[in-house]
Amino acid sequence: MNVLNRMGDEFFKGVWRENPTFRIVLGMCPSLAISTSVVNGVGMGLAATFVLLGSNIMVSLVRNITPSKIRIPMFIIIISTFVTIVELVTEAYTPDLHKALGIFIPLIVVNCIILARAEAFASKEPLWYSIADAIGMGAGFTLALVLISGIREMLGNGTLLGVPILGLHYNPSIVMIMPPGAFLTIALLIGLMNYITRKK
Amino acid sequence: MEKLAVIFFSVVLINNFVLARFLGLCPFLGVSKEFRPALSMGIAVTFVMTLASAVTWVFYHSLLVPYHLGFLQTIVFILVIATLVQFVEMVIAKTSPLLQEALGIYLPLITTNCAVLGVSLLNIKQGYNLIETIIHGFGGGLGFTMALLIMSAIRERLEFAKVPEWMKGFPIAFVLASMMAFAFFGFQGFFSS
């Protein structure tokens, strides 16, 4: 029972308390670059979650036989292997998504969240906790992406998941789906998070 | 020659790596609190980006293409970059203690800088030749340095401003980045083609 409690704890840690995007501010590059529509946001979130899960499982399994001196190169090879899997699978089955995410799929390799979780968590903790940690962090990252891309798609395009929701009279402000809008959205969201947690 | 100039200026100003392509945001936010460290970081990144562009291009066209190993691109590139950074670090430590002191702590961080891997992937994607690749890498690094320096200069002034407690740190830095991205919009349409 204790194990399950701890697993739940590790999961929710990633979703809220240590949300990678809003609280630790890691992995900003993809969060801003591809969050122009919710579809892209979900795609990126799931891709990163898959890589995170795969790398956390592998790193946790080999943690006792890894010499500490070469651990970082090992982590990087494990991560880039999973990234290559994602790259090939998305290219084969969802070519549109692959095209929209562009170089940000291979760039998952250098997403700080994944290396940070491998180094700070999976290389020290047993398998089940590492899995919970990966799913939690992945969910937190995906939720953050959905939130950012939802706001940007709604204000910048007047749609949500491609469906017009703000009515015909809404004049979309294109700037929201361009770079300045991305920076502004994340600035206000992190500020809002700080404001909410400060009150408690 | 004209094409080289177009590549150079568009990567520095129009498609700036930080402000338009969102690559290398971690150092852009992490090392931009003061001017001097920002300058060191910028020089280190420019150096590694130029070198990595050239080396990964050669690896791709001499090893991956002839043996039809294109799908290994990501793994090979990240290993090449990690090795390269380690190598540069060793050379600098041996030859120039002064440079070592200025850049030392920034070099290891560069391995996981997405601008370096990003520029290597973009070179291949855009089908540049070796000269164009080097210009693209160097210009990208220069654009990154410029954005980083402007950002650090503004943040130094910001120390004296009254920012609400909950907007301090990252949020206000992102607002600044947003304003800078707006300003860089002015360069859009620089080249008519």
Side-chain angles (χ1 to χ4, degrees):
Chain A
M1 215 51 229
N2 213 354
V3 177
L4 280 181
N5 274 345
R6 167 99 198 268
M7 277 178 75
D9 195 48
E10 299 297 352
F11 175 77
F12 285 109
K13 173 193 73 187
V15 176
W16 175 259
R17 207 169 61 244
E18 290 182 21
N19 185 296
T21 307
F22 295 130
R23 312 271 10 172
I24 338 184
V25 196
L26 281 180
M28 294 321 294
C29 304
S31 332
L32 294 177
I34 54 87
S35 59
T36 47
S37 74
V38 178
V39 178
N40 288 355
V42 173
M44 187 58 174
L46 292 182
T49 307
F50 173 77
V51 175
L52 198 52
L53 186 60
S55 85
N56 257 17
I57 290 175
M58 285 301 290
V59 169
S60 177
L61 285 176
V62 299
R63 73 182 187 282
N64 291 329
I65 52 167
T66 311
S68 73
K69 269 191 178 161
I70 58 152
R71 68 184 194 287
I72 300 287
M74 263 188 86
F75 296 164
I76 291 181
I77 294 180
I78 292 172
I79 294 168
S80 47
T81 309
F82 282 102
V83 170
T84 307
I85 296 173
V86 169
E87 215 181 332
L88 295 176
V89 170
T90 47
E91 196 173 3
Y93 293 102
T94 51
D96 290 339
L97 188 69
H98 186 263
K99 215 172 166 195
L101 298 183
I103 62 162
F104 284 93
I105 294 181
L107 281 181
I108 297 176
V109 179
V110 283
N111 189 327
C112 326
I113 299 169
I114 295 165
L115 194 60
R117 290 335 284 172
E119 166 73 2
F121 198 92
S123 64
K124 300 187 185 83
E125 302 283 344
L127 182 61
W128 295 110
Y129 298 150
S130 298
I131 292 177
D133 178 72
I135 298 175
M137 283 288 161
F141 183 60
T142 310
L143 280 177
L145 278 176
V146 169
L147 194 62
I148 300 169
S149 56
I151 293 172
R152 289 182 68 194
E153 192 186 336
M154 208 160 73
L155 296 177
N157 209 14
T159 60
L160 207 55
L161 282 167
V163 183
I165 56 154
L166 285 180
L168 288 173
H169 299 292
Y170 178 70
N171 196 3
S173 54
I174 307 291
V175 76
M176 288 307 286
I177 48 175
M178 298 183 103
F183 285 120
L184 203 58
T185 311
I186 192 83
L188 296 179
L189 281 175
I190 299 177
L192 192 68
M193 280 288 270
N194 287 348
Y195 190 74
I196 294 169
T197 44
R198 188 194 61 145
K199 283 277 159 116
K200 273 173 192 163
Chain B
M1 203 59 214
E2 199 189 317
K3 197 181 173 202
L4 292 184
V6 171
I7 290 176
F8 181 75
F9 284 108
S10 63
V11 77
V12 174
L13 297 173
I14 304 167
N15 287 323
N16 187 289
F17 263 82
V18 182
L19 297 170
R21 285 218 177 102
F22 304 107
L23 293 169
L25 283 176
C26 300
F28 179 67
L29 293 166
V31 204
S32 63
K33 287 199 185 94
E34 284 168 64
F35 194 81
R36 293 262 356 147
L39 186 63
S40 301
M41 185 67 176
I43 295 170
V45 168
T46 310
F47 181 63
V48 173
M49 267 172 85
T50 316
L51 207 59
S53 293
V55 175
T56 50
W57 190 92
V58 170
F59 258 85
Y60 185 80
H61 286 278
S62 66
L63 203 68
L64 298 187
V65 174
Y67 294 104
H68 305 288
L69 293 172
F71 64 94
L72 286 178
Q73 194 189 25
T74 315
I75 301 181
V76 170
F77 279 17
I78 190 75
L79 286 180
V80 168
I81 291 169
T83 319
L84 192 71
V85 171
Q86 199 80 50
F87 183 68
V88 169
E89 210 183 339
M90 271 151 57
V91 170
I92 287 180
K94 278 274 179 209
T95 54
S96 161
L98 204 71
L99 210 59
Q100 156 82 356
E101 206 175 311
L103 304 182
I105 53 164
Y106 301 106
L107 277 172
L109 296 175
I110 292 176
T111 312
T112 50
N113 180 341
C114 39
V116 179
L117 184 57
V119 78
S120 310
L121 294 166
L122 281 172
N123 289 328
I124 304 299
K125 208 176 163 196
Q126 315 245 12
Y128 289 150
N129 65 30
L130 187 57
I131 307 289
E132 290 166 348
T133 293
I134 293 171
I135 296 289
H136 187 235
F138 178 68
L142 218 59
F144 174 84
T145 310
M146 189 172 66
L148 194 63
L149 288 182
I150 300 174
M151 183 73 167
S152 66
I154 304 177
R155 279 181 90 172
E156 277 190 356
R157 295 292 294 263
L158 203 69
E159 290 289 310
F160 305 105
K162 266 192 190 161
V163 180
E165 196 57 44
W166 49 278
M167 281 298 277
K168 268 191 183 147
F170 284 116
I172 196 73
F174 276 119
V175 174
L176 286 179
S178 170
M179 297 301 138
M180 281 171 66
F182 261 124
F184 272 69
F185 260 8
F187 294 114
Q188 295 268 339
F190 208 57
F191 301 110
S192 48
S193 57

